[in-house]
Amino acid sequence: MTILGVDFSLTSTGVCAITDGEAECITIKTKKEEQWWLFPERIRSIAAQILEWADMAAADHIVIETPAFMAKSATLDKMFAGWWFLVWHLTGTGEDPPLRVTPAQVKKYATGKGNAGKDGVLAAVIRRYPDVLVTGNDQADALVLAAIGAAVMGEPFNGPLTVAQQEVVEAVRTRAAI
């Protein structure tokens, strides 16, 4: 079984695949387009790179972090639109919809606290998954997303779950009606 975790960003998208108990992570970097109307092409490019890297024919489930609805940014419209474009591109083949995980659930699964900082998540991920090369916050979040997906599907990655992790898994499973 292959579980793909995606931490979408307009400039640095983290992606992690867990296959048969092994995990591999990458970061997809992009730059702002020169003309605003080319924005959908940037998202299509991110999706194409994910699809190519992950060999989507082999992916059983996609897990994606939902947008941070309380975020404040001058590009919030692009973040939300980009997230929807990406989901559409990744699921355009009629596959099952992705599992959606909130930013607080990612933090809680990684650290036990839903309000942990990005560096706290990174540190917890490096401690829990020492055999996985993680080179930054985006990859750490993507690995946590994939680990949540694996646990939701009944195949926890890297050992038994804590109580906090079990709570996250049950909430994601309930939301997805699995």
Side-chain angles (χ1 to χ4, degrees), residues 106-107 110-111 116-130 132-144:
V106 169
K107 294 171 184 178
T111 69
K118 294 284 266 174
D119 290 337
V121 170
L122 177 60
V125 165
I126 290 170
R127 277 192 307 274
R128 180 160 175 98
Y129 310 107
V132 181
L133 177 61
V134 174
T135 62
N137 293 320
D138 302 316
Q139 289 184 14
D141 286 357
L143 177 54
V144 171

Side-chain angles (χ1 to χ4, degrees), residues 30-102:
T30 58
K31 294 181 183 177
K32 182 179 177 184
E33 55 284 339
E34 291 184 26
Q35 291 87 19
W36 67 268
W37 62 86
L38 296 176
F39 172 73
E41 177 56 29
R42 178 171 23 153
I43 305 309
R44 189 213 56 77
S45 174
I46 293 169
Q49 290 176 68
I50 292 170
L51 294 169
E52 181 180 333
W53 177 79
D55 183 16
M56 289 306 288
D60 296 293
H61 299 283
I62 300 171
V63 185
I64 190 166
E65 186 176 43
T66 61
F69 294 111
M70 299 303 287
K72 295 179 180 168
S73 168
T75 60
L76 210 49
D77 59 331
K78 286 187 175 183
M79 276 300 302
F80 292 162
W83 187 88
W84 279 107
F85 279 150
L86 182 68
V87 168
W88 182 78
H89 280 292
L90 293 178
T91 61
T93 60
E95 299 296 321
D96 292 334
L99 295 175
R100 295 170 297 148
V101 178
T102 68

Side-chain angles (χ1 to χ4, degrees), residues 61 96-100 148-149 151-154 169-178:
H61 299 283
D96 292 334
L99 295 175
R100 295 170 297 148
I148 291 170
V152 166
M153 294 304 140
V169 168
E170 190 54 39
V172 171
R173 187 178 284 134
T174 299
R175 182 182 208 178
I178 294 176

